[in-house]
Amino acid sequence: MSSVLIAILMFLFLILIHEFGHFIIAKKSGIKVNEFAIGMGPRLYSKTKGETTYSLNLLPIGGYCAMEGEDDDSNDPRSFNNSPAKSRFFTILAGPLTNFIFAGIIFAIIIGNIGTSTNKVGGFLESSPAQSAGMKEDDRIVKIGQIEIKQFEEVSMALGEFYKDGKNKDQEVPISVLRDDKEIDFKIKPDFEENRPVLGVYSKLEKVGFFKSIGLGFSEVWKNIKGIVKVFGALFSGAIGFSALSGPVGVVKELGNQASQGIFNLLYFFAYISVNLGFFNLIPIPALDGSKILTSVYEMISKKPVNKKIEQRATVVGFVLLLGLILVVTIKDIVTLIL
């Protein structure tokens, strides 16, 4: 129960920083903000300061930064729809960007504390094919098949490439390592876990300084973004199914699982979800930030306003479809949780 509570609070915090990104740039740009809310549904608490009402709502499933004229017409000169396209662009972009920055900071904290992976072998799992073949700790993996290895995450990618589409499954993969500055070649047949080739090794971690950990933290954000793009590509191509998607229930459940695995596991997943939230909002679907970013860019380039009535209708349709998707995925998550 405590893990679920932690998960809900962390999920709400990610929404908070996303909406705060919109809020702070809107204020800096002079756009009128009517309400800044955490949660949806009935209000539990609210306080008005200046022109903005700050609210805490009952349902911990979202939040919003309600700007004057954002989704309807307004004659207020400080409304969102009457603001320059440049101001609207940066105000909307600030939400996803805040999620990416937050994730980069969390990744940097993790790397600064536990170090970063190298292409050196740090140890072996039980019944490791690599250890059985003669590989030793501190061996530096430099080549698998025809692919050079510079980072440990490239190990699984190179193995996946060698055994792609089930080819070579009965063959040993050639692996080269450096040991005492001498190159040693192995031929190893990995284990297969759900058709995924596994050598049974884990990386040796290397301590890094403060500034390098910051750089590596934001590199991790970029790696996660590229991974998400691959997943979306696989979804559209049919390589992976609808069951791979998770909604709020699935995310909260997994946050709870990670909380029981240790603080750094939890923090990593927390940052990963922040990257996902930022990326998802950049998709140019009506009702998401990406749609408003796209229309702002169009207006900056063309110097012509977008038809507001068409935009409002598209937003309503997009919002309904988005709610429908969330509902279907949530039902799937609940059924999976029960079973």
Side-chain angles (χ1 to χ4, degrees), residues 184-196:
I184 301 173
D185 296 323
F186 295 96
K187 282 189 174 290
I188 303 173
K189 188 175 180 181
D191 291 332
F192 284 85
E193 297 178 357
E194 297 179 354
N195 294 320
R196 184 173 62 92

Side-chain angles (χ1 to χ4, degrees), residues 43-64:
R43 284 184 183 176
L44 295 176
Y45 172 81
S46 68
K47 182 177 181 179
T48 301
K49 186 176 180 181
E51 64 187 12
T52 305
T53 299
Y54 300 88
S55 306
L56 178 64
N57 298 330
L58 178 63
L59 304 175
I61 55 173
Y64 53 90

Side-chain angles (χ1 to χ4, degrees), residues 68-116:
E68 176 73 20
E70 182 181 5
D71 296 315
D72 50 18
D73 292 324
S74 173
N75 294 322
D76 192 317
R78 292 180 53 231
S79 67
F80 181 84
N81 62 312
N82 288 326
S83 298
K86 184 178 178 181
S87 297
R88 285 183 274 131
F89 171 80
F90 285 111
T91 297
I92 298 303
L93 181 63
L97 194 59
T98 303
N99 282 120
F100 294 146
I101 292 170
F102 175 75
I105 292 170
I106 296 299
F107 285 138
I109 290 171
I110 296 169
I111 292 168
N113 278 275
I114 69 173
T116 185

Side-chain angles (χ1 to χ4, degrees), residues 15-323:
I15 296 168
L16 170 64
I17 61 171
H18 178 94
E19 297 301 331
F20 182 75
H22 294 317
F23 172 81
I24 196 68
I25 300 302
K27 288 286 189 180
K28 292 289 184 182
S29 301
I31 297 172
K32 184 179 179 182
V33 179
N34 292 328
E35 185 177 4
F36 181 80
I38 300 301
M40 306 291 279
R43 284 184 183 176
L44 295 176
Y45 172 81
S46 68
K47 182 177 181 179
T48 301
K49 186 176 180 181
E51 64 187 12
T52 305
T53 299
Y54 300 88
S55 306
L56 178 64
N57 298 330
L58 178 63
L59 304 175
I61 55 173
Y64 53 90
C65 173
M67 293 174 276
E68 176 73 20
E70 182 181 5
D71 296 315
D72 50 18
D73 292 324
S74 173
N75 294 322
D76 192 317
R78 292 180 53 231
S79 67
F80 181 84
N81 62 312
N82 288 326
S83 298
K86 184 178 178 181
S87 297
R88 285 183 274 131
F89 171 80
F90 285 111
T91 297
I92 298 303
L93 181 63
L97 194 59
T98 303
N99 282 120
F100 294 146
I101 292 170
F102 175 75
I105 292 170
I106 296 299
F107 285 138
I109 290 171
I110 296 169
I111 292 168
N113 278 275
I114 69 173
T116 185
S117 64
T118 67
N119 58 348
K120 278 188 175 183
V121 175
F124 302 93
L125 303 178
E126 188 176 350
S127 303
S128 164
Q131 188 176 30
S132 299
M135 203 176 285
K136 296 181 179 180
E137 287 188 28
D138 287 330
D139 282 353
R140 186 182 295 274
I141 302 173
V142 293
K143 195 174 184 181
I144 295 179
Q146 299 300 314
I147 299 176
E148 292 187 3
I149 305 298
K150 294 182 179 179
Q151 299 176 355
F152 194 78
E153 53 262 35
E154 293 171 340
V155 169
S156 59
M157 181 272 292
L159 287 170
E161 187 64 29
F162 186 84
Y163 293 103
K164 189 175 181 180
D165 299 325
K167 68 181 182 180
N168 304 327
K169 199 165 183 179
D170 295 325
Q171 296 183 25
E172 297 173 324
V173 59
I175 299 177
S176 300
V177 305
L178 281 179
R179 183 187 299 167
D180 299 326
D181 296 325
K182 293 180 181 179
E183 188 168 304
I184 301 173
D185 296 323
F186 295 96
K187 282 189 174 290
I188 303 173
K189 188 175 180 181
D191 291 332
F192 284 85
E193 297 178 357
E194 297 179 354
N195 294 320
R196 184 173 62 92
V198 176
L199 287 178
V201 301
Y202 55 85
S203 172
K204 185 170 186 176
L205 298 177
E206 177 183 72
K207 286 290 186 180
V208 295
F210 175 78
F211 291 106
K212 189 171 183 179
S213 67
I214 295 293
L216 290 171
F218 283 93
S219 292
E220 194 68 24
V221 172
W222 179 238
K223 287 178 189 175
N224 276 270
I225 290 173
K226 290 193 291 185
I228 296 166
V229 170
K230 286 183 180 179
V231 169
F232 267 81
L235 277 169
F236 283 110
S237 68
I240 60 176
F242 174 78
S243 60
L245 295 177
S246 281
V249 172
V251 171
V252 169
K253 175 180 176 289
E254 187 56 31
L255 275 170
N257 290 339
Q258 295 298 326
S260 65
Q261 298 298 314
I263 184 64
F264 290 119
N265 286 60
L266 176 61
L267 286 176
Y268 189 93
F269 189 73
F270 190 31
Y272 171 73
I273 294 302
S274 188
V275 174
N276 273 263
L277 183 61
F279 180 87
F280 182 73
N281 272 278
L282 286 176
I283 299 173
I285 296 174
L288 293 179
D289 292 342
S291 176
K292 291 186 175 68
I293 290 171
L294 192 63
T295 55
S296 298
V297 170
Y298 169 79
E299 291 187 23
M300 284 190 286
I301 294 172
S302 68
K303 308 299 182 183
K304 297 177 181 177
V306 173
N307 187 305
K308 295 300 178 184
K309 288 185 177 179
I310 294 176
E311 185 180 12
Q312 287 167 9
R313 289 170 185 168
T315 299
V316 171
V317 172
F319 186 70
V320 171
L321 291 174
L322 188 62
L323 281 179

